[in-house]
Amino acid sequence: MKRAKYILVIFSGTLIYVLMSLLFGVNSLKNYKFMEEQKVILSKQKSDIQNINSELELELTALRDDKAVIAAYARKLGYVAQDEKIIKITGLKPAQTALYDTGKVLRHQEPAFVSEKICKIVAFVFSLMVFSLLLFYDIVKGNIVLGAKKRPAVVTGIPLYDLPQI
């Protein structure tokens, strides 16, 4: 078998390994797309939570420092100042307090992939198949003869001897 055939065997195994890794491996195109989608979802939820956090920090600062906000919150809880009078009106629904929706809980999802070990095994098996096909081709063409020993050529016919002439 010529050297080019060995190079073809190595090239075919490497090609299959690269294609399997690219299409089905850990860092495949499908997994890259999956991770990009997860990244977009996480960044959107992160920005929503950051907006809620800034609103809550603003409300906390107002409750600590602003007297009018503290008084309004105390009235909402039923407290009154010394010079105020309470008038209760029945039949009205109480005001709803703001509920902050932080979104749904995101669980880690493991992407589906074929392990590198499987990719390497498949590539090796494919290389062995290519090698065996090329070896079978050489045997059929007669480039490789198995089992038969080559015999030296025997000339048949009248024997000639190199004898001195008289």
Side-chain angles (χ1 to χ4, degrees):
M1 192 181 290
K2 295 183 182 179
R3 290 182 193 155
K5 291 181 182 178
Y6 292 119
I7 292 173
L8 179 65
V9 169
I10 293 170
F11 175 76
S12 65
T14 306
L15 178 69
I16 292 300
Y17 172 71
V18 168
L19 286 176
M20 283 201 61
S21 294
L22 188 64
L23 297 176
F24 307 112
V26 175
N27 297 323
S28 66
L29 297 175
K30 184 179 102 177
N31 284 347
Y32 180 76
K33 183 180 175 186
F34 177 77
M35 288 185 277
E36 283 292 322
E37 291 171 357
Q38 290 293 319
K39 180 181 172 184
V40 168
I41 291 169
L42 287 175
S43 64
K44 182 184 178 302
Q45 191 162 9
K46 177 186 170 196
S47 66
D48 291 344
I49 291 172
Q50 283 176 338
N51 290 340
I52 291 170
N53 189 32
S54 62
E55 289 176 17
L56 289 173
E57 284 179 357
L58 184 64
E59 188 176 328
L60 178 65
T61 305
L63 283 171
R64 279 189 190 152
D65 302 331
D66 194 359
K67 301 278 186 195
V69 173
I70 294 171
Y73 191 71
R75 283 187 196 101
K76 192 187 280 186
L77 293 174
Y79 293 99
V80 292
Q82 291 176 354
D83 57 346
E84 292 180 337
K85 294 181 181 178
I86 298 176
I87 300 174
K88 290 192 177 188
I89 302 173
T90 59
L92 295 178
K93 291 182 182 177
Q96 290 278 334
T97 57
L99 294 176
Y100 297 101
D101 181 24
T102 57
K104 62 180 182 174
V105 176
L106 293 179
R107 302 279 183 218
H108 174 70
Q109 295 177 350
E110 192 69 33
F113 59 89
V114 176
S115 70
E116 288 294 311
K117 184 178 180 180
I118 302 282
C119 292
K120 289 176 184 177
I121 289 172
V122 169
F124 182 72
V125 168
F126 186 79
S127 296
L128 286 178
M129 287 176 25
V130 170
F131 178 75
S132 60
L133 284 174
L134 292 175
L135 187 65
F136 182 71
Y137 175 77
D138 280 345
I139 291 172
V140 168
K141 284 293 189 182
N143 295 338
I144 297 176
V145 178
L146 299 175
K149 294 182 181 178
K150 291 189 177 183
R151 297 183 207 163
V154 176
V155 178
T156 57
I158 302 173
L160 297 176
Y161 299 103
D162 189 21
L163 296 176
Q165 295 288 327
I166 304 187

